[in-house]
Amino acid sequence: AGLCMSVMMELRVHPGDDYLASVEAESLQVLTYARLCDIPTSKYSIEPSYVSNWLSIAVHQPTLKEGEDQPLVQGAHNIINHLKEHGYMVNPKLDDAQQNEEVLYSSMMTDRLFPAILYLRWLDSQNFVEVTRRWYARSLYFPSSLFFPSWRHGAVKRSLSGDLPEEYTCEQKGAELVKRAEECISFLSNRLGDKEYFFGNRPSMLDAMAYGCLEVVLQWQLTSNNSLQRLVHSTRNLRTFCERVRKQCYPKMKTRSMESTATQSSGASSKLAFWGFLAVAVALLGLQGARVGLFSQVARGLKGSGS
């Protein structure tokens, strides 16, 4: 069965780059699910969010729209369930136990892995300033490039505030979220084992959900606290799994190596150190200039009083 509709679907997602079809996990999950389902491209169009209408930044992305008289479907889980209801299923042969397992592991990623990804991108101050805000400023059209980074920073901070004790500092919350994400990655690795996909040699919804999170971790270059990236890269079966899905769904996408990530991180740190040194030097020169000016004023005052 196909989609019971005569109009084209409009799928709005976060923008991507040369390495990711979308730089946000939920959008990448939906795009990957559509590719794994082999939904004909004639059935849907993909629109990057906040390109034509910057006010759409306040809407939970990704979104799916089927027509003017149809409600907007928001979020990866809701969109994928909607596609399933209309007959688009990656692996319809899964039994009830396997389908329940899909839901269980997908929920685990939502609760444990996704929050850590958000924290590292949007609330880690160095990553936000040096990577995330700069990327969106370059990639979005005006005026979205001005409003979206600050708006998303605040939205992420509010969304994660209730998950951990109030007395935790931002750094303590981040450490706990990363710990939970590492446990989730370990569970995913154990579940995958030496299989091509999570349920054997044929992909499922779970593969789209896992790829969306893991590939974002692998390909998004952070300059601070990239422990999750190192963990996924060093977990051989998960790294190979991401390579397999990428070749199947996004054969033209580039991929980054850990060496290039380390080089960028080192370069960013070097630049930060250079500009920090320059700022200190300018401040010292200014202070020295002020002292020289003060001495000159005193000398002129003494000279004037002597005459």
Side-chain angles (χ1 to χ4, degrees):
L3 283 170
C4 302
M5 46 177 269
S6 58
V7 297
M8 179 179 290
M9 293 181 290
E10 181 182 273
L11 179 63
R12 284 190 172 270
V13 297
H14 288 263
D17 56 19
D18 291 339
Y19 301 90
L20 290 163
S22 174
V23 298
E24 294 285 347
E26 279 198 270
S27 291
L28 188 58
Q29 287 171 336
V30 172
L31 291 173
T32 304
Y33 186 86
R35 296 287 181 96
L36 292 177
C37 281
D38 291 327
I39 300 179
T41 55
S42 60
K43 290 285 187 181
Y44 67 98
S45 65
I46 299 175
E47 296 290 339
S49 302
Y50 8 95
V51 170
S52 59
N53 180 10
W54 68 271
L55 292 174
S56 64
I57 63 174
V59 178
H60 184 188
Q61 306 293 338
T63 62
L64 181 69
K65 185 72 173 175
E66 288 187 16
E68 294 300 328
D69 58 339
Q70 296 297 318
L72 192 68
V73 185
Q74 301 181 40
H77 285 280
N78 292 333
I79 291 175
I80 290 174
N81 287 334
H82 181 82
L83 293 175
K84 282 183 175 182
E85 291 172 359
H86 286 75
Y88 283 114
M89 302 180 68
V90 179
N91 192 344
K93 295 183 178 181
L94 295 182
D95 58 33
D96 291 342
Q98 290 172 323
Q99 291 181 36
N100 290 335
E101 198 172 1
E102 270 193 322
V103 174
L104 175 65
Y105 276 89
S106 297
S107 298
M108 179 182 66
M109 283 184 280
T110 300
D111 295 338
R112 289 179 170 268
L113 184 51
F114 190 60
I117 295 173
L118 290 178
Y119 170 82
L120 291 173
R121 285 186 171 193
W122 296 97
L123 299 187
D124 181 288
S125 56
Q126 183 175 331
N127 287 332
F128 176 68
V129 171
E130 296 182 359
V131 181
T132 307
R133 186 168 63 186
R134 289 183 181 180
W135 191 93
Y136 277 96
R138 291 195 309 267
S139 303
L140 301 182
Y141 291 149
F142 179 85
S144 302
S145 57
L146 298 180
F147 292 100
F148 179 74
S150 297
W151 175 87
R152 187 71 191 282
H153 178 273
V156 170
K157 189 173 183 179
R158 289 189 296 273
S159 70
L160 298 181
S161 61
D163 293 341
L164 296 166
E166 294 183 2
E167 63 270 17
Y168 276 22
T169 64
C170 186
E171 290 73 18
Q172 288 175 321
K173 290 181 179 180
E176 179 62 27
L177 291 174
V178 169
K179 179 183 176 182
R180 295 179 183 180
E182 291 172 346
E183 293 173 350
C184 178
I185 291 170
S186 177
F187 283 129
L188 290 173
S189 177
N190 291 335
R191 179 62 185 83
L192 179 63
D194 57 0
K195 300 184 294 297
E196 290 187 15
Y197 301 102
F198 282 93
F199 292 107
N201 58 4
R202 183 172 178 175
S204 66
M205 179 197 76
L206 180 56
D207 296 284
M209 302 300 284
Y211 177 79
C213 286
L214 297 173
E215 185 72 353
V216 161
V217 171
L218 278 174
Q219 302 299 333
W220 187 265
Q221 291 184 316
L222 301 177
T223 59
S224 168
N225 194 357
N226 61 351
S227 59
L228 289 186
Q229 185 184 59
R230 291 195 301 269
L231 176 59
V232 175
H233 192 273
S234 64
T235 306
R236 185 176 179 275
N237 64 340
L238 293 181
R239 186 182 72 248
T240 305
F241 163 78
C242 288
E243 293 170 354
R244 182 179 299 113
V245 177
R246 186 189 316 122
K247 289 178 181 178
Q248 178 178 348
C249 297
Y250 311 103
K252 296 183 180 180
M253 284 289 170
K254 299 178 182 179
T255 182
R256 289 189 174 99
S257 64
M258 284 299 294
E259 289 75 15
S260 66
T261 302
T263 300
Q264 173 168 327
S265 299
S266 175
S269 299
S270 298
K271 290 179 180 178
L272 187 63
F274 169 76
W275 288 110
F277 170 78
L278 186 61
V280 172
V282 169
L284 289 175
L285 287 174
L287 180 61
Q288 182 66 20
R291 291 175 60 189
V292 170
L294 179 61
F295 290 154
S296 299
Q297 291 179 10
V298 171
R300 286 195 298 269
L302 291 174
K303 185 176 179 180
S305 62
S307 60

